[in-house]
Amino acid sequence: MENPIVLQLDPSEGNPRNSEGAFADLPDGRLMFAYTRYCGTEGRDASPAEIAGRFNTDQGRTWSPDDTILLPNEGKANVMSVSLLSMGNGDLGLFYMRKDGPMACRSYLRRSRDGGQHWSDPVRVVQAPGYFVMNNDRVIRLGTGRIVVPVAFHRLNREPQNPLDFSAIDHRGIAVYYLSDDDGQTWRQSADWYGLPLSSGSGLQEPGVVELKDGRVWSWCRTDQGQQWSLWSSDGGDHWTPPVPTRIMSPCSPASVKRIPSTGDLLMVWNDHERSRNNKDLPHPLPPLDPQPASAGRTPLVAAISQDEGRTWSRRRCLETSPAHGFCYTAIHFVEDHVLLAYCAGGQDVGNVLRRLRMRQVPLAWLYQ
């Protein structure tokens, strides 16, 4: 089967949502996949949730049947949006977002020396008070050793009515970056931060980062302008160019980008809304762009490759095409001659696009056809 589904986690009673995650290679050769597992009866972004893990011993083909709870819910609302990173001293770093209220949603780091069985006390990455959104699978280490954590700051538009009144949050995001030069022991905010320089309901939301071959850091953000917007840094994420629109057409939905180790090219996975690609003369035409309301516009899910450091994207291949489902928050992990992609894949059948988690195993050769 082409691009088989190797893991699917549907919602169930007492577990209303399974969503965004990240992968890690463990010292004993296993793979770990960590994700947000919601508890109780609701699956809203601020509903109770914990970080759970599944494990694999055969390069991603089969996964453990039961959850291992890596991090119980320590937040007043929840913990979610995990990133995993190999630390400089050999530890496994688990970055996550802890929601304690509209003025206290911040990123934390815990470390493990035994493959995720035990975790250190948390170190707070974001020192300032406020609501800071960090996506899953976003934290990177630069060639210099610096760790970069991209977040979007959301101010409040009124006084909260209670300690968990998340409706007071302004949806317009401001892109800002947190940096560590001592392997995560201490953190500081980037010198620059940016909002979207025009009228918008989204601002710059859910930034991602990747290091380019010339040493610059490229950041992209989702917007409500019909496209991703980009910023670049030439000093490791401290100062940034003003944001500009890109040709990466998409709804207000995150894109994911990582470098393919075997080729050095960049791989992007996103909801491609470039209608000009819907051409029957293309070798692999995209389906008609006809998303239904249940998809939240987050379809189709497309992969593409850039061989010029993100300036252009070619070899677009469809991963998911259902107009009634939405696909988003993709985690990317390369294993031998294929890539594992884990993403939300829900729709009206399970309540919304964020409630079902799906993982596919995709051959790199298929992406390069």
Side-chain angles (χ1 to χ4, degrees):
M1 178 181 176
E2 190 175 64
N3 307 332
I5 297 172
V6 294
L7 180 66
Q8 181 156 300
L9 301 176
D10 292 309
S12 61
E13 185 175 357
N15 173 210
R17 171 177 162 183
N18 300 301
S19 55
E20 73 290 330
F23 296 91
D25 296 306
L26 299 182
D28 61 6
R30 294 181 300 159
L31 292 177
M32 181 171 78
F33 177 67
Y35 72 98
T36 307
R37 184 186 189 277
Y38 282 76
C39 314
T41 60
E42 296 183 328
R44 296 177 294 108
D45 281 352
S47 297
E50 55 201 2
I51 304 298
R54 298 288 179 110
F55 297 87
N56 167 271
T57 59
D58 59 3
Q59 287 75 53
R61 288 184 290 274
T62 56
W63 292 84
S64 54
D66 300 313
D67 287 317
T68 297
I69 302 305
L70 303 175
L71 181 64
N73 185 8
E74 65 183 26
K76 294 178 182 178
N78 66 27
V79 291
M80 63 179 297
S81 293
V82 59
S83 290
L84 298 171
L85 184 71
S86 296
M87 307 303 289
N89 67 346
D91 291 350
L92 174 63
L94 185 151
F95 294 81
Y96 61 98
M97 193 164 64
R98 188 169 91 189
K99 291 186 178 179
D100 291 318
M103 282 297 291
C105 177
R106 294 172 288 198
S107 303
Y108 287 77
L109 164 64
R110 289 177 181 263
R111 309 166 79 108
S112 175
R113 295 184 175 179
D114 57 11
Q117 297 182 58
H118 302 90
W119 298 94
S120 69
D121 292 335
V123 172
R124 198 167 76 194
V125 173
V126 176
Q127 300 300 314
Y131 194 88
F132 294 83
V133 174
M134 177 190 71
N135 268 30
N136 63 301
D137 200 29
R138 290 301 215 211
V139 178
I140 67 168
R141 182 188 300 279
L142 305 180
T144 60
R146 172 176 290 175
I147 302 173
V148 182
V149 176
V151 299
F153 169 64
H154 293 259
R155 58 182 289 276
L156 302 188
N157 54 29
R158 59 173 173 80
E159 187 75 22
Q161 297 178 358
N162 60 67
L164 294 180
D165 180 15
F166 292 99
S167 66
I169 298 166
D170 193 312
H171 293 292
R172 293 170 292 183
I174 296 170
V176 63
Y177 305 84
Y178 280 82
L179 315 173
S180 176
D181 291 312
D182 56 10
D183 202 37
Q185 301 299 321
T186 60
W187 295 88
R188 64 181 178 86
Q189 183 179 293
S190 59
D192 291 343
W193 53 266
Y194 278 102
L196 198 63
L198 45 77
S199 179
S200 164
S202 70
L204 296 176
Q205 294 181 349
E206 301 181 337
V209 284
V210 71
E211 186 174 21
L212 302 179
K213 290 179 179 178
D214 63 6
R216 291 180 302 153
V217 181
W218 170 40
S219 179
W220 62 94
C221 306
R222 80 175 199 178
T223 74
D224 60 0
Q225 302 299 302
Q227 63 212 143
Q228 302 281 317
W229 280 56
S230 286
L231 311 83
W232 288 266
S233 172
S234 296
D235 61 1
D238 210 9
H239 297 86
W240 293 85
T241 62
V244 295
T246 72
R247 288 293 306 277
I248 303 169
M249 312 307 293
S250 76
C252 194
S253 179
S256 297
V257 180
K258 285 194 177 180
R259 191 172 299 280
I260 304 172
S262 60
T263 65
D265 299 332
L266 294 176
L267 172 68
M268 179 167 60
V269 180
W270 84 112
N271 302 124
D272 188 355
H273 279 201
E274 188 174 341
R275 288 170 174 80
S276 63
R277 293 280 171 178
N278 299 323
N279 186 315
K280 62 182 177 59
D281 296 326
L282 291 175
H284 303 287
L286 298 183
L289 188 59
D290 58 350
Q292 298 174 12
S295 74
R298 296 176 174 182
T299 186
L301 187 68
V302 172
I305 289 170
S306 176
Q307 296 178 305
D308 56 11
E309 296 299 274
R311 288 184 289 275
T312 61
W313 298 89
S314 61
R315 295 184 171 89
R316 301 191 187 199
R317 307 301 309 271
C318 271
L319 298 160
E320 300 277 4
T321 61
S322 170
H325 293 79
F327 311 97
C328 49
Y329 296 102
T330 305
I332 301 174
H333 191 69
F334 300 97
V335 182
E336 295 187 341
D337 59 353
H338 60 268
V339 60
L340 295 170
L341 303 174
Y343 49 89
C344 297
Q348 190 171 3
D349 58 333
V350 292
N352 65 50
V353 300
L354 302 176
R355 296 198 170 194
R356 173 188 290 127
L357 180 64
R358 179 175 292 167
M359 186 189 301
R360 286 190 185 273
Q361 183 187 51
V362 179
L364 292 178
W366 181 82
L367 294 173
Y368 274 94
Q369 284 180 3

